[in-house]
Amino acid sequence: MAWTNEDVARQFAEIVTLLKLSGADQFRVRAYERAAGAIGAAPTDLATLDEAGIAALRGIGASTARKVSEYLTTGKIAMLEDLRGAVPAGLVELIRVPGLGPKTARLLYDSLGINSVEALREAIETERLRGLPGLGVKTEANLRDAIARVGAKDTGRVPMADAVAVAEELCRRLRELPVVEDVTYAGSLRRMRETIGDIDILAASTAPAHVHDALRSSELVTDVLAAGDKKTSVIVRRGIQADLRVVAPEAYGAALIYFTGSKDHNVRIRERAVRSGLTLNEYGLFDKETERRLECRTEAEVYEQLGLPFIPPPMREDTGEVQAAVAGNLPAVVHLEDIRGDLHGHSDWSGDGKATLEEMVAAAAGLGYEYWAVTDHAEGLPMNGLSRQQMLQRRTAIEMLQERYDIRILEGAELNIGPEGDVDYDPQFLATLDFCVASIHTLMTRAGAVQTRRIITAMENPAVHAIGHLTGRKIGGRPPYDVDLDAILDAAKRTGTALEVNASPHRLDISSDMVRRAVEAGVTLTISCDGHSVGDLRSMRYGVGTAQRGWATSQDVLNCRPLDGLFDFVAAKRT
Ligand code: DGT
Ligand code: CA
Ligand code: CA
Ligand code: ZN
């Protein structure tokens, strides 16, 4: 898989933003907004279609199709490149401040020359914003708070979600070279950390110069930072750095371990190698005495030589995994193949779902799932929620679809956790639903103690089977609520409520550290995509990676159970 629909849609969303910032007329902006929406909603993988096939999709015209096709083949859209060149970078930085739209950004830039978040902070402090048309004291105060919230976040790290598609595309292109025997991304991205410093690509080849050349001349590369014969460093889009190393095929296993890291994991297993009279480095595994290289083409062979089982990359953080492996009790963490269904997903029955119920069901069936829960938003959510009447209409639609699909469609809802932990509908009606997730969608800035209380009250409700995206964070965007995790884990256990690992790469909520604590506390997890489009359903692997980082096994995960097991869990909650 290379470019995903989401990735293509994001290019168009960037076009929309940049058009707005450059003051383009609103009809043009609207047209691109619609195009972005239609791309996100496309029921098929755009990368599998040609330009005519793309143009035939609902809501996508000829000129959009041309740009999509341009992107899929070259990784760039010339028009977007032009816009990026034309709009000052400082303006783009300004709209990262929550609540600061393109119009205000333009105003600040044009009238006061404000071209960074830092400059805005200064302008607020020196009261230079006062007197700008439409910028009252209230807006000024809001901006001050918003800046404080984004302030600490610029760490130079990139959300994993922003890097994974381009990393996979780079690998796909290198894999096509005849001289490349194997290629993969390594580093923190392979370990599925939620943010990454840079992309590390490792290739096996007997003609390294050729592979390095290919990367340097790739059209995805915007800058070459270093071009040696061992390592090439380049910039690919949005300042993301990618490093390429090419090694001999017989050293690939050892090199992959080395460049996957983490550094601390490497140090730990190198100690182990030394104790067995071996040396391990990025060039291979060697017998210390004879200096002979032990051939290890795969990581599993290296671990085996060290007397260890294969350790899945997400676990390689030196948080006890090597000691557990030595002792023979490394947990058999959950794998994608263990997932039998998805327990949080949306359809266009609620306003924000981008695909029809049937498109979502068909896609879930296509993934080989045994069940898929449609958990559209409930009535309390302004704009998008389904009234009880609409829920009943949807029930009929589900029954009709169920006749045509083998996959079990679970009738569900994503309930809103109210100010006091109350949820939507009435208990009798809720009891007729198969599976409900409850999440916070309002009052998101309340103190941690308040959120903890709301969530625990919701867990005490017999209709609530799982808590969705517990902390509300958006990686690289919104900070998490500061919940009392111990109190929540206690309540989850006491009430028989599951905690969701939201698999959206923008959320990964709960985080892997929280997963680890939940597993230790014996709390049941769900891993769900919270899909709003067909493409979203493929995020499951990020949720699984997060669960692996938290050492969760399939026993810990509700949607690894067959349908009966799932219904037992639901029934236990009701009694
Ligand atoms: P990042 O990019 O900051 O998210 O984190 P990583 O883990 O991808 O680190 P990076 O890109 O600096 O290096 C990639 C891998 O190379 C790292 O996970 C382990 C390995 N590595 C790098 N430097 C060293 C080192 O000095 N010693 C050892 N043992 N391994 C290293
Ligand atoms: Ca890295
Ligand atoms: Ca690196
Ligand atoms: Zn949702």
Side-chain angles (χ1 to χ4, degrees):
M1 177 177 52
W3 302 127
T4 59
N5 292 0
E6 193 211 355
D7 194 60
V8 182
R10 283 166 76 179
Q11 309 306 312
F12 279 76
E14 191 181 347
I15 292 179
V16 170
T17 306
L18 294 175
L19 282 175
K20 282 183 183 165
L21 286 173
S22 60
D25 87 75
Q26 54 167 312
F27 295 104
R28 197 151 168 248
V29 174
R30 282 285 304 284
Y32 280 98
E33 250 162 4
R34 275 196 301 272
I39 290 164
T44 26
D45 218 345
L46 291 169
T48 63
L49 301 175
D50 61 9
E51 191 177 321
I54 296 167
L57 292 172
R58 183 170 62 192
I60 297 185
S63 109
T64 302
R66 200 172 322 114
K67 292 191 180 67
V68 171
S69 163
E70 179 187 354
Y71 184 70
L72 292 172
T73 48
T74 69
K76 283 184 184 160
I77 301 173
M79 177 225 181
L80 174 56
E81 298 294 316
D82 292 346
L83 275 171
R84 283 180 181 152
V87 176
L91 267 178
V92 181
E93 192 194 332
L94 279 180
I95 55 165
R96 281 201 353 240
V97 177
L100 184 79
K103 246 169 108 178
T104 312
R106 191 79 234 182
L107 175 72
L108 294 171
Y109 182 77
D110 289 342
S111 52
L112 298 173
I114 294 173
N115 61 2
S116 67
V117 175
E118 200 39 56
L120 176 59
R121 189 198 322 270
E122 223 179 275
I124 290 172
E125 271 164 25
T126 53
E127 301 190 347
R128 279 164 62 225
L129 256 45
R130 306 272 164 101
L132 281 184
L135 254 173
V137 183
K138 179 122 191 288
T139 313
E140 189 189 86
N142 288 343
L143 284 176
R144 184 184 294 120
D145 291 349
I147 291 176
R149 271 181 280 135
V150 288
K153 113 187 179 210
D154 223 325
T155 53
R157 299 185 68 82
V158 180
M160 176 262 272
D162 291 346
V164 65
V166 71
E168 283 177 355
E169 179 66 10
L170 287 169
C171 290
R172 192 184 67 76
R173 290 175 185 214
L174 293 174
R175 196 169 295 123
E176 280 175 359
L177 301 175
V179 295
V180 167
E181 291 189 19
D182 228 328
V183 58
T184 185
Y185 56 82
S188 50
L189 190 58
R190 182 160 183 252
R191 303 198 310 278
M192 258 188 219
R193 281 195 59 175
E194 57 197 43
T195 62
I196 61 145
D198 65 2
I199 297 171
D200 299 281
I201 294 178
L202 181 70
S205 173
T206 48
H210 195 99
V211 189
H212 285 291
D213 262 355
L215 179 67
R216 275 197 301 275
S217 50
S218 165
E219 53 201 343
L220 293 176
V221 164
T222 56
D223 249 315
V224 177
L225 303 176
D229 50 358
K230 288 230 160 48
K231 174 173 161 186
T232 300
S233 291
V234 297
I235 299 287
V236 290
R237 74 169 58 184
R238 278 184 269 179
I240 301 178
Q241 181 176 333
D243 294 343
L244 168 71
R245 278 91 164 188
V246 186
V247 299
E250 57 276 16
Y252 190 66
L256 188 51
I257 288 183
Y258 184 89
F259 290 114
T260 296
S262 66
K263 203 167 151 180
D264 293 337
H265 175 86
N266 290 352
V267 168
R268 188 73 62 186
I269 59 173
R270 223 163 34 211
E271 285 166 10
R272 174 130 185 117
V274 168
R275 257 180 266 140
S276 335
L278 303 168
T279 340
L280 176 64
N281 57 36
E282 64 265 52
Y283 308 109
L285 182 65
F286 301 87
D287 186 311
K288 206 162 184 172
E289 227 152 75
T290 62
E291 292 183 4
R292 194 176 55 87
R293 176 150 71 189
L294 310 181
E295 189 166 314
C296 294
R297 284 174 184 256
T298 66
E299 290 182 313
E301 289 170 72
V302 178
Y303 281 115
E304 199 188 322
Q305 293 278 1
L306 299 177
L308 297 174
F310 178 80
I311 301 178
M315 298 182 84
R316 300 181 195 168
E317 296 289 354
D318 189 32
T319 55
E321 74 281 4
V322 177
Q323 294 88 329
V326 169
N329 53 23
L330 185 73
V333 289
V334 56
H335 279 79
L336 193 54
E337 304 74 55
D338 301 327
I339 300 289
R340 294 176 187 251
D342 189 330
L343 294 171
H344 182 173
H346 299 265
S347 73
D348 67 1
W349 277 86
S350 60
D352 62 343
K354 291 183 193 144
T356 63
L357 181 57
E358 176 155 16
E359 285 166 347
M360 294 301 278
V361 167
L367 292 171
Y369 287 155
E370 291 167 31
Y371 46 86
W372 184 71
V374 55
T375 57
D376 287 314
H377 287 293
E379 61 183 355
L381 190 72
M383 323 274 287
N384 284 331
L386 267 66
S387 67
R388 190 188 149 119
Q389 193 54 36
Q390 290 168 309
M391 285 289 281
L392 291 171
Q393 287 167 2
R394 196 191 64 169
R395 181 171 298 172
T396 310
I398 292 173
E399 282 162 3
M400 283 165 63
L401 268 182
Q402 190 63 82
E403 285 177 16
R404 291 192 286 116
Y405 286 88
D406 278 342
I407 183 172
R408 174 63 186 265
I409 309 165
L410 298 172
E411 183 188 1
E414 181 172 10
L415 305 171
N416 304 292
I417 301 181
E420 304 299 332
D422 44 310
V423 300
D424 319 61
Y425 309 119
D426 56 81
Q428 291 71 26
F429 181 68
L430 285 172
T432 66
L433 299 176
D434 294 319
F435 194 85
C436 290
V437 180
S439 324
I440 287 182
H441 294 113
T442 53
L443 308 177
M444 304 218 253
T445 53
R446 291 296 149 92
V450 177
Q451 308 299 39
T452 303
R453 206 163 345 111
R454 292 171 76 193
I455 292 163
I456 290 177
T457 305
M459 287 198 281
E460 281 160 356
N461 190 318
V464 171
H465 306 117
I467 299 295
H469 42 76
L470 181 78
T471 75
R473 70 158 175 182
K474 293 275 179 75
I475 296 166
R478 194 162 68 204
Y481 335 125
D482 184 20
V483 293
D484 177 347
L485 188 61
D486 285 325
I488 284 176
L489 294 176
D490 273 353
K493 205 144 180 208
R494 172 169 56 81
T495 61
T497 312
L499 287 188
E500 173 182 276
V501 180
N502 192 292
S504 161
H506 305 285
R507 290 188 182 270
L508 303 177
D509 187 9
I510 53 178
S511 69
S512 55
D513 291 343
M514 292 174 133
V515 168
R516 183 99 177 241
R517 286 170 63 189
V519 167
E520 276 161 13
V523 166
T524 302
L525 303 169
T526 63
I527 308 177
S528 294
C529 291
D530 193 0
H532 287 71
S533 71
V534 167
D536 285 349
L537 295 182
R538 278 201 310 230
S539 300
M540 187 60 84
R541 60 190 178 128
Y542 308 121
V544 169
T546 302
Q548 290 182 337
R549 290 178 64 79
W551 292 32
T553 69
S554 60
Q555 317 287 309
D556 301 310
V557 179
L558 185 57
N559 47 318
C560 290
R561 299 187 195 170
L563 204 50
D564 318 354
L566 172 64
F567 283 145
D568 288 347
F569 185 88
V570 168
K573 176 87 203 235
R574 283 189 177 138
T575 52

